Amino acid sequence: MKTTKSECVLALTLALVAGETVLQSDEGMWLYTDPPRRQLKEKYGFEPSDAWLEHVRQSSVRFNSGGSGSFVSEDGLILSNHHVGADSLQKFGDEQHNYYRDGFFARTRAEEKKCFDLELNVLMEIEDVTDRVNSAVKADQTPEEAFAARRAVMAAIEKESLEKTGLRSDVVTLYQGGRYHLHRFKKYTDVRLVFAPEQQIAFFGGDPDNFEYPRFDLDICFFRAYENGQPARISHFLKFSSTGPAENELVFVSGHPGHTSRSLTVDELAYLRDQRFPYAMQWLNRLEVMLIAYSARNEESARRAKEFLFGVQNSRKAREGMLAGLLDPQIMARKQADETRLRQAVAGKPELREARPAWDTITAAQKVIAQNNRPYNLLESAHGFNSTLFQIARTLLRSAEEKSKPNGDRLREFRDSNRESLELELFSEEPLYDDFEQIKLAHSLTWLVGNLGYSHPVVQLALAGKSPRDRAADLVLNTRVKDVARRKKLYAGTPQDVAAAHDPLIELARTVDAEARAVRKILETQDELKQQAYAKIAKARFAFEGTSAYPDATFTLRLAYGLVKGYEEEGRKVPFQTTFAGLYERSAAHQNQPPFDLPKRWIERKSRLDLNTPFNFVSTADIIGGNSGSPNVNRQGEFVGIIFDGNIQSLVLDFIYTEEQARAVSVHSRAILESLRQVYDAGSLADELLGKRQP
Amino acid sequence: MKTTKSECVLALTLALVAGETVLQSDEGMWLYTDPPRRQLKEKYGFEPSDAWLEHVRQSSVRFNSGGSGSFVSEDGLILSNHHVGADSLQKFGDEQHNYYRDGFFARTRAEEKKCFDLELNVLMEIEDVTDRVNSAVKADQTPEEAFAARRAVMAAIEKESLEKTGLRSDVVTLYQGGRYHLHRFKKYTDVRLVFAPEQQIAFFGGDPDNFEYPRFDLDICFFRAYENGQPARISHFLKFSSTGPAENELVFVSGHPGHTSRSLTVDELAYLRDQRFPYAMQWLNRLEVMLIAYSARNEESARRAKEFLFGVQNSRKAREGMLAGLLDPQIMARKQADETRLRQAVAGKPELREARPAWDTITAAQKVIAQNNRPYNLLESAHGFNSTLFQIARTLLRSAEEKSKPNGDRLREFRDSNRESLELELFSEEPLYDDFEQIKLAHSLTWLVGNLGYSHPVVQLALAGKSPRDRAADLVLNTRVKDVARRKKLYAGTPQDVAAAHDPLIELARTVDAEARAVRKILETQDELKQQAYAKIAKARFAFEGTSAYPDATFTLRLAYGLVKGYEEEGRKVPFQTTFAGLYERSAAHQNQPPFDLPKRWIERKSRLDLNTPFNFVSTADIIGGNSGSPNVNRQGEFVGIIFDGNIQSLVLDFIYTEEQARAVSVHSRAILESLRQVYDAGSLADELLGKRQP
């Protein structure tokens, strides 16, 4: 760490002297509409053709459950991470089957298992709609009016596009409001599970090794996209490399980084550090403790909670690292210096005078958000009502109300262009368990009291004179929204039909809905103010830095690049890749005890494996959560590995790029082939990857 | 639960009709100076003699690490719980030895292992000093003056007593300030470990079974008190019963309940519910998550953190249950009704007019405490500096300052009469681990930021321009207070000597000390106000209820009683005792998986055991945390079992007694004998319990 820091400070000093931002070499989560052509040419002599870019883009798949993937065969085969597939793996399980823990392999197409509610998107077309969005917002509008106007025009653009093309159409906000793009997606909703390994090997090393490197994880999961009941015929898929990347080779990462905060003002970062992250950590700690205690009851409880627990632990460790970054005075000094430099530059340019008050506007808006964020989390994000059944009940309540409004006036998730996706989730047949719903709800009602106080009117309404435990039992055991047919009926009905159902969970949602909507409106209004201000800052940044600026991550498709390259840590060289041999050594060093134990199959098949096979590798590509499952692609456009993690030093990438030690961690393409053949007897799948069609 | 509640409501109604408190039958944690003679006589026809009471009292042992125990042989043998001995077991361990996990047995006296810093107290004499304490406080004093005067007179009484008798002398506050008693203790500081089973069997069922029943735990640990290098000769010890208690038999529990809140006003209970407990839960959740993650790294980390983790998980589950009690509207309604009744009664008695404003005084003081409790926890309770080394450093800093003051003016822990106990702890040779100290300190500095905000002056001083991780590493690696010889030297020195040491941890403690002392003073002053008000309420209660009122628990010796008796839960009868057979069945029902796995020895020796031996049993005795290790004593004054837990329904005993389902859980005396002989080949220890002297 120490080496990094002093070098960072040096880079900063140079940047200040030069009077402009010096992009760290492999920095950037680039838009496909504005790829880093200059950087790639200057540094690596590589000039991607438009065809190359289109091919990689259309081979990239977004998992709407929160991750990335890619097509790897012309028969619709998709490769992602085990931990991205986890949501589906969890939902398939029951008391007899634990696919999440034990893995799955469909030896025939007929055995491929259809996912309950998984939607995949492929980005087909991108259109800049900035001018149309901005022209809908008038300068003399109040923030409330501006927000409504912006929401309305976005919904209108999406609806028009959907009707015209039949493609899922989303207007996405980039540069915190500096640009608006219309994304048109091909959508797959018949997605079937093909293969997953045991979670033990997908997540070997568990929480201690999570976000660490060296690493030894087979974090992969295969799905297949279907259309009309047949495997989808795919024209853009990645050819699978049987050699993988070499040390210092240039690789690209095409995927969907979820969220970064690099453009945030220093005041906003301080808010994250002092309030938002501490609250998020408290909430995650509470969930983790609850889920561990629940899981310890028996094997079936552990199965029910497993994927949720993994997600919580993963978020907790990520946030710890991000918070540590915000608490690193040198990182904050860099952010402060960059902001000061830009503000000074803006002060010197009369044509950018509009941007001058932007930072203060954001600070003022942020203060209002800070005051309302706790109730927002509790009521609108439902930390006070942590239950899948509650979410379903609220969607039914709100849907009935929203659909009577014009498309542009609705809460954004209820816009026409999102209807199919919403219904896919709402009508999911995923199994829900009364005991698990009860314990989550009872704990979150207790959390509500602890955050608002017992005598708060919302708490009184929510508890209805009962203890949290009794109230949760009452709600979960008496609601009828567990029944999907019932959901469909209520969803088709009017607000009066929904009210006439007298469903206790829907009535609970109604009880707190006015307050939840009110606090959401406050935040949306302040966000509008911030968005306008950030758009001005973005404009100023464009004026100074041109296209060397890429927007913060927003779970939209991006292209990153970097070298396959080790690093130094506390004077020790960390090699660029690991091998299967290293896996067995690490397990033995921990007496094969959990979380360093190996699946039975990996113990039995050890002698069959080429132990020198590269297993995991690292690169300097600029990634963040959401990139999980992204393909690593070489200059030839071939698949050479799959992103599944970043090392602990990469967690600060949320705020700032550094390539001294921060690394993206991937599974090597050779490890995938070798383990499919030698451990899983899944030669047919390996063959498909190599383009050998099934007979 | 439902049965209980409606019956509670019924009892409450009757109480209101009768216009006075009806003590639930087996309620009470009674003072030995005022035992429940009437209740015992009326209900059970039992009249304990003074000799009986003195014998049981002097057989009772207080563990200053936080628990209870009893003498069980004339050679100083003491029986307590494994989880009370945990602190010592943990400190004995190293990379090669894990006594906490694996157990210990000294086959000879020479093998008995001397504990690092364990002090045991036996209550020899009790003197009422209420009048002397109260007369030192003048009516016209400010709360600050009153607090100082009270502290001074208590220190003076203790010092006089110590000088006169040579016995440890503590003035204890009872009835929230209604009474002051001087306790004189015989003190044992040469205490040696004799026997502990594996934690697996001591805590069989782990967190899921903690605070649950039926139960199957051998939660025992034997120590021996030494004097002058020889086993202490004990005149009062409990004869060990080889039969144990029968169903519905009357048993007594003599031990040290740590803390109850039964006398608190409703406003204070609401403060616990809305603020104190939620904060405590957040802090415990944070610790639990940190300790689990640290423990997962490797076996040695797990060993280092094990006892702390157990303690945190135990507190968390207890507080969850207590909070659930406060969130039970029917319990709060009972508290409210009781308070209303007493206030109305006071309003009707002119001679009690002094008590009338007491409730409002407490509410006002509580408001000030609520405003200051967060900084108090962070700074004075050191949640922001969670490190054993920090505590040592602060003790050295403060000791140098305090010892120059008159005895009565010092912070209470530095009074002359406490010096030996303080030094025993300060000079403990317990092993401390840099990595563990660092991680605890780094996490708690982060916690400090999350609670006060980064720009708070104390945070800035504490971090000294570094990130929490770097700062913690810096402090832990550069302090020299790890060295006990160094501690002794600094402890003997002047404030100037301590300053001249330039120890970074001592300097950190100095940096925050003014603020820590200031907030402590605020709380002490408000506590004084509350104490005066509670004393008036106590006086009023005495006027109405006489000796039927017992004081809240304060980790002072108490006598409880009750019947060995099962209960009903959700329509199912829960039997009064379990057997060894049940242990094996429960383990098998969980596929012998942790935390339901059995130690190797228990699997191998199963056939030797009489499986019908009673293992654990429950009684209606009124207990709470701190009672762990308390003996169950029959009418004949014999040891029949040892308290180690309460069931989940007992957790509300903090606020209110109920005997419908709340039960104290004990290990049966026969289970102890049988397992010592058949599982541990510790027949000599069993013989000693039965009074057969070693040859």
Short mmCIF file of all heavy atoms in Angstrom, two decimals, chain A residues 296-332:
data_model
loop_
_atom_site.label_atom_id
_atom_site.label_comp_id
_atom_site.label_asym_id
_atom_site.label_seq_id
_atom_site.Cartn_x
_atom_site.Cartn_y
_atom_site.Cartn_z
N ALA A 296 -27.74 -21.61 11.15
CA ALA A 296 -27.17 -22.60 12.07
C ALA A 296 -28.25 -23.53 12.62
O ALA A 296 -27.94 -24.57 13.19
CB ALA A 296 -26.45 -21.91 13.23
N ARG A 297 -29.52 -23.20 12.45
CA ARG A 297 -30.57 -24.04 13.03
C ARG A 297 -30.55 -25.46 12.49
O ARG A 297 -30.63 -26.41 13.24
CB ARG A 297 -31.95 -23.44 12.73
CG ARG A 297 -32.22 -22.17 13.48
CD ARG A 297 -33.63 -21.71 13.16
NE ARG A 297 -33.93 -20.44 13.78
CZ ARG A 297 -35.10 -19.81 13.62
NH1 ARG A 297 -36.04 -20.35 12.86
NH2 ARG A 297 -35.32 -18.66 14.20
N ASN A 298 -30.49 -25.57 11.18
CA ASN A 298 -30.42 -26.90 10.57
C ASN A 298 -30.07 -26.74 9.09
O ASN A 298 -29.99 -25.62 8.57
CB ASN A 298 -31.74 -27.67 10.76
CG ASN A 298 -32.91 -26.90 10.21
OD1 ASN A 298 -32.93 -26.53 9.04
ND2 ASN A 298 -33.90 -26.63 11.05
N GLU A 299 -29.85 -27.87 8.43
CA GLU A 299 -29.37 -27.85 7.06
C GLU A 299 -30.35 -27.15 6.12
O GLU A 299 -29.95 -26.41 5.21
CB GLU A 299 -29.15 -29.29 6.61
CG GLU A 299 -28.21 -29.43 5.44
CD GLU A 299 -27.99 -30.89 5.09
OE1 GLU A 299 -27.61 -31.66 6.00
OE2 GLU A 299 -28.21 -31.26 3.93
N GLU A 300 -31.62 -27.34 6.33
CA GLU A 300 -32.61 -26.74 5.45
C GLU A 300 -32.67 -25.22 5.63
O GLU A 300 -32.79 -24.49 4.64
CB GLU A 300 -33.98 -27.39 5.68
CG GLU A 300 -35.15 -26.77 4.93
CD GLU A 300 -35.03 -26.81 3.41
OE1 GLU A 300 -34.15 -27.49 2.87
OE2 GLU A 300 -35.84 -26.10 2.75
N SER A 301 -32.55 -24.75 6.85
CA SER A 301 -32.46 -23.30 7.06
C SER A 301 -31.24 -22.74 6.34
O SER A 301 -31.32 -21.69 5.70
CB SER A 301 -32.33 -22.97 8.55
OG SER A 301 -33.48 -23.32 9.25
N ALA A 302 -30.13 -23.44 6.48
CA ALA A 302 -28.90 -22.99 5.83
C ALA A 302 -29.11 -22.89 4.33
O ALA A 302 -28.68 -21.94 3.68
CB ALA A 302 -27.75 -23.94 6.16
N ARG A 303 -29.79 -23.87 3.75
CA ARG A 303 -30.04 -23.85 2.31
C ARG A 303 -30.92 -22.65 1.94
O ARG A 303 -30.62 -21.93 0.99
CB ARG A 303 -30.72 -25.15 1.87
CG ARG A 303 -30.84 -25.28 0.36
CD ARG A 303 -31.78 -26.39 -0.07
NE ARG A 303 -33.16 -26.16 0.29
CZ ARG A 303 -33.96 -25.28 -0.30
NH1 ARG A 303 -33.52 -24.54 -1.30
NH2 ARG A 303 -35.21 -25.11 0.11
N ARG A 304 -31.96 -22.44 2.70
CA ARG A 304 -32.87 -21.34 2.37
C ARG A 304 -32.19 -19.97 2.39
O ARG A 304 -32.52 -19.09 1.62
CB ARG A 304 -34.06 -21.32 3.35
CG ARG A 304 -34.97 -22.52 3.15
CD ARG A 304 -36.12 -22.55 4.15
NE ARG A 304 -36.87 -23.80 3.94
CZ ARG A 304 -37.92 -24.18 4.64
NH1 ARG A 304 -38.38 -23.40 5.60
NH2 ARG A 304 -38.53 -25.32 4.37
N ALA A 305 -31.26 -19.82 3.30
CA ALA A 305 -30.65 -18.50 3.50
C ALA A 305 -29.36 -18.31 2.72
O ALA A 305 -28.81 -17.22 2.68
CB ALA A 305 -30.37 -18.30 4.99
N LYS A 306 -28.87 -19.37 2.06
CA LYS A 306 -27.49 -19.39 1.59
C LYS A 306 -27.17 -18.27 0.60
O LYS A 306 -26.18 -17.56 0.76
CB LYS A 306 -27.16 -20.75 0.98
CG LYS A 306 -25.66 -21.04 0.91
CD LYS A 306 -25.41 -22.49 0.53
CE LYS A 306 -23.95 -22.79 0.28
NZ LYS A 306 -23.14 -22.84 1.49
N GLU A 307 -27.98 -18.08 -0.39
CA GLU A 307 -27.63 -17.10 -1.41
C GLU A 307 -27.75 -15.68 -0.86
O GLU A 307 -26.92 -14.81 -1.15
CB GLU A 307 -28.52 -17.27 -2.65
CG GLU A 307 -28.02 -16.48 -3.83
CD GLU A 307 -28.99 -15.41 -4.27
OE1 GLU A 307 -30.17 -15.49 -3.91
OE2 GLU A 307 -28.55 -14.48 -4.96
N PHE A 308 -28.77 -15.45 -0.06
CA PHE A 308 -28.93 -14.14 0.57
C PHE A 308 -27.72 -13.85 1.46
O PHE A 308 -27.13 -12.76 1.42
CB PHE A 308 -30.24 -14.14 1.37
CG PHE A 308 -30.68 -12.80 1.89
CD1 PHE A 308 -30.11 -11.60 1.45
CD2 PHE A 308 -31.71 -12.71 2.83
CE1 PHE A 308 -30.53 -10.37 1.94
CE2 PHE A 308 -32.14 -11.48 3.32
CZ PHE A 308 -31.55 -10.32 2.87
N LEU A 309 -27.33 -14.86 2.23
CA LEU A 309 -26.17 -14.68 3.12
C LEU A 309 -24.91 -14.38 2.32
O LEU A 309 -24.13 -13.48 2.67
CB LEU A 309 -25.99 -15.94 3.98
CG LEU A 309 -24.77 -15.96 4.91
CD1 LEU A 309 -24.77 -14.77 5.87
CD2 LEU A 309 -24.73 -17.26 5.72
N PHE A 310 -24.70 -15.14 1.24
CA PHE A 310 -23.52 -14.86 0.41
C PHE A 310 -23.54 -13.41 -0.07
O PHE A 310 -22.54 -12.69 0.01
CB PHE A 310 -23.46 -15.80 -0.80
CG PHE A 310 -22.47 -15.33 -1.83
CD1 PHE A 310 -21.12 -15.59 -1.67
CD2 PHE A 310 -22.87 -14.58 -2.93
CE1 PHE A 310 -20.20 -15.12 -2.59
CE2 PHE A 310 -21.96 -14.10 -3.86
CZ PHE A 310 -20.61 -14.37 -3.69
N GLY A 311 -24.69 -12.97 -0.56
CA GLY A 311 -24.80 -11.61 -1.08
C GLY A 311 -24.50 -10.57 -0.02
O GLY A 311 -23.80 -9.58 -0.26
N VAL A 312 -25.02 -10.81 1.17
CA VAL A 312 -24.80 -9.86 2.27
C VAL A 312 -23.33 -9.82 2.66
O VAL A 312 -22.75 -8.74 2.83
CB VAL A 312 -25.69 -10.25 3.48
CG1 VAL A 312 -25.26 -9.50 4.73
CG2 VAL A 312 -27.15 -9.96 3.18
N GLN A 313 -22.71 -10.98 2.77
CA GLN A 313 -21.30 -11.01 3.17
C GLN A 313 -20.42 -10.37 2.10
O GLN A 313 -19.46 -9.67 2.41
CB GLN A 313 -20.86 -12.46 3.42
CG GLN A 313 -21.51 -13.03 4.68
CD GLN A 313 -21.07 -14.44 4.99
OE1 GLN A 313 -20.97 -15.27 4.09
NE2 GLN A 313 -20.82 -14.74 6.25
N ASN A 314 -20.78 -10.62 0.85
CA ASN A 314 -20.04 -10.04 -0.26
C ASN A 314 -20.15 -8.50 -0.23
O ASN A 314 -19.16 -7.79 -0.33
CB ASN A 314 -20.60 -10.61 -1.56
CG ASN A 314 -19.74 -10.29 -2.76
OD1 ASN A 314 -18.55 -10.60 -2.77
ND2 ASN A 314 -20.33 -9.65 -3.76
N SER A 315 -21.37 -8.01 -0.03
CA SER A 315 -21.57 -6.56 0.04
C SER A 315 -20.84 -5.97 1.23
O SER A 315 -20.26 -4.89 1.15
CB SER A 315 -23.06 -6.23 0.21
OG SER A 315 -23.78 -6.62 -0.91
N ARG A 316 -20.90 -6.67 2.35
CA ARG A 316 -20.25 -6.17 3.55
C ARG A 316 -18.74 -6.02 3.33
O ARG A 316 -18.16 -4.99 3.63
CB ARG A 316 -20.54 -7.11 4.72
CG ARG A 316 -19.89 -6.72 6.02
CD ARG A 316 -18.65 -7.55 6.36
NE ARG A 316 -18.96 -8.98 6.37
CZ ARG A 316 -18.03 -9.90 6.22
NH1 ARG A 316 -16.77 -9.58 6.02
NH2 ARG A 316 -18.37 -11.18 6.22
N LYS A 317 -18.14 -7.05 2.74
CA LYS A 317 -16.69 -6.96 2.57
C LYS A 317 -16.34 -5.89 1.54
O LYS A 317 -15.36 -5.16 1.70
CB LYS A 317 -16.11 -8.33 2.18
CG LYS A 317 -14.60 -8.40 2.44
CD LYS A 317 -14.04 -9.80 2.48
CE LYS A 317 -12.52 -9.76 2.66
NZ LYS A 317 -11.90 -11.09 2.61
N ALA A 318 -17.15 -5.77 0.50
CA ALA A 318 -16.92 -4.73 -0.50
C ALA A 318 -17.02 -3.34 0.13
O ALA A 318 -16.18 -2.48 -0.07
CB ALA A 318 -17.93 -4.86 -1.64
N ARG A 319 -18.06 -3.16 0.94
CA ARG A 319 -18.26 -1.83 1.55
C ARG A 319 -17.18 -1.51 2.56
O ARG A 319 -16.79 -0.35 2.72
CB ARG A 319 -19.64 -1.74 2.17
CG ARG A 319 -20.63 -1.20 1.16
CD ARG A 319 -22.05 -1.27 1.59
NE ARG A 319 -22.91 -0.89 0.48
CZ ARG A 319 -23.12 -1.65 -0.59
NH1 ARG A 319 -22.51 -2.82 -0.71
NH2 ARG A 319 -23.92 -1.24 -1.56
N GLU A 320 -16.72 -2.52 3.26
CA GLU A 320 -15.59 -2.28 4.18
C GLU A 320 -14.40 -1.71 3.41
O GLU A 320 -13.75 -0.78 3.86
CB GLU A 320 -15.15 -3.59 4.84
CG GLU A 320 -15.81 -3.84 6.16
CD GLU A 320 -15.37 -5.18 6.77
OE1 GLU A 320 -14.34 -5.76 6.35
OE2 GLU A 320 -16.09 -5.65 7.65
N GLY A 321 -14.13 -2.31 2.26
CA GLY A 321 -12.99 -1.85 1.46
C GLY A 321 -13.22 -0.46 0.89
O GLY A 321 -12.32 0.38 0.85
N MET A 322 -14.46 -0.21 0.46
CA MET A 322 -14.77 1.11 -0.09
C MET A 322 -14.68 2.17 1.00
O MET A 322 -14.12 3.26 0.80
CB MET A 322 -16.16 1.08 -0.72
CG MET A 322 -16.21 0.26 -2.00
SD MET A 322 -17.83 -0.49 -2.34
CE MET A 322 -18.74 0.95 -2.87
N LEU A 323 -15.22 1.85 2.16
CA LEU A 323 -15.16 2.80 3.27
C LEU A 323 -13.71 3.05 3.67
O LEU A 323 -13.32 4.20 3.95
CB LEU A 323 -15.97 2.24 4.46
CG LEU A 323 -16.09 3.13 5.70
CD1 LEU A 323 -16.64 4.51 5.35
CD2 LEU A 323 -17.00 2.47 6.75
N ALA A 324 -12.92 2.00 3.65
CA ALA A 324 -11.49 2.18 3.96
C ALA A 324 -10.86 3.14 2.96
O ALA A 324 -9.99 3.95 3.32
CB ALA A 324 -10.77 0.83 3.97
N GLY A 325 -11.29 3.08 1.71
CA GLY A 325 -10.78 4.02 0.70
C GLY A 325 -11.16 5.45 1.03
O GLY A 325 -10.35 6.37 0.96
N LEU A 326 -12.41 5.64 1.44
CA LEU A 326 -12.86 7.00 1.78
C LEU A 326 -12.18 7.51 3.05
O LEU A 326 -12.11 8.72 3.29
CB LEU A 326 -14.38 7.01 1.97
CG LEU A 326 -15.20 6.81 0.70
CD1 LEU A 326 -16.67 6.63 1.05
CD2 LEU A 326 -15.03 8.00 -0.25
N LEU A 327 -11.70 6.59 3.86
CA LEU A 327 -11.02 6.98 5.10
C LEU A 327 -9.51 7.10 4.89
O LEU A 327 -8.77 7.35 5.84
CB LEU A 327 -11.32 5.96 6.21
CG LEU A 327 -12.75 6.02 6.75
CD1 LEU A 327 -13.05 4.82 7.64
CD2 LEU A 327 -12.95 7.31 7.54
N ASP A 328 -9.08 6.92 3.65
CA ASP A 328 -7.67 7.06 3.34
C ASP A 328 -7.42 8.54 2.99
O ASP A 328 -7.89 9.03 1.97
CB ASP A 328 -7.32 6.15 2.15
CG ASP A 328 -5.86 6.22 1.79
OD1 ASP A 328 -5.21 7.25 2.07
OD2 ASP A 328 -5.35 5.24 1.22
N PRO A 329 -6.72 9.26 3.86
CA PRO A 329 -6.58 10.71 3.64
C PRO A 329 -5.95 11.03 2.30
O PRO A 329 -6.25 12.07 1.70
CB PRO A 329 -5.67 11.16 4.78
CG PRO A 329 -5.63 10.05 5.75
CD PRO A 329 -5.99 8.78 5.03
N GLN A 330 -5.10 10.15 1.78
CA GLN A 330 -4.44 10.48 0.51
C GLN A 330 -5.39 10.38 -0.67
O GLN A 330 -5.31 11.16 -1.61
CB GLN A 330 -3.21 9.59 0.35
CG GLN A 330 -2.19 9.97 1.43
CD GLN A 330 -0.91 9.18 1.34
OE1 GLN A 330 -0.88 8.01 1.70
NE2 GLN A 330 0.14 9.81 0.84
N ILE A 331 -6.31 9.43 -0.60
CA ILE A 331 -7.31 9.35 -1.67
C ILE A 331 -8.20 10.58 -1.63
O ILE A 331 -8.47 11.21 -2.67
CB ILE A 331 -8.13 8.04 -1.53
CG1 ILE A 331 -7.27 6.85 -1.98
CG2 ILE A 331 -9.42 8.11 -2.35
CD1 ILE A 331 -7.95 5.50 -1.88
N MET A 332 -8.63 10.95 -0.44
CA MET A 332 -9.50 12.12 -0.35
C MET A 332 -8.74 13.39 -0.76
O MET A 332 -9.33 14.30 -1.36
CB MET A 332 -10.08 12.26 1.06
CG MET A 332 -11.19 11.26 1.34
SD MET A 332 -12.64 11.41 0.24
CE MET A 332 -13.73 12.42 1.25
#
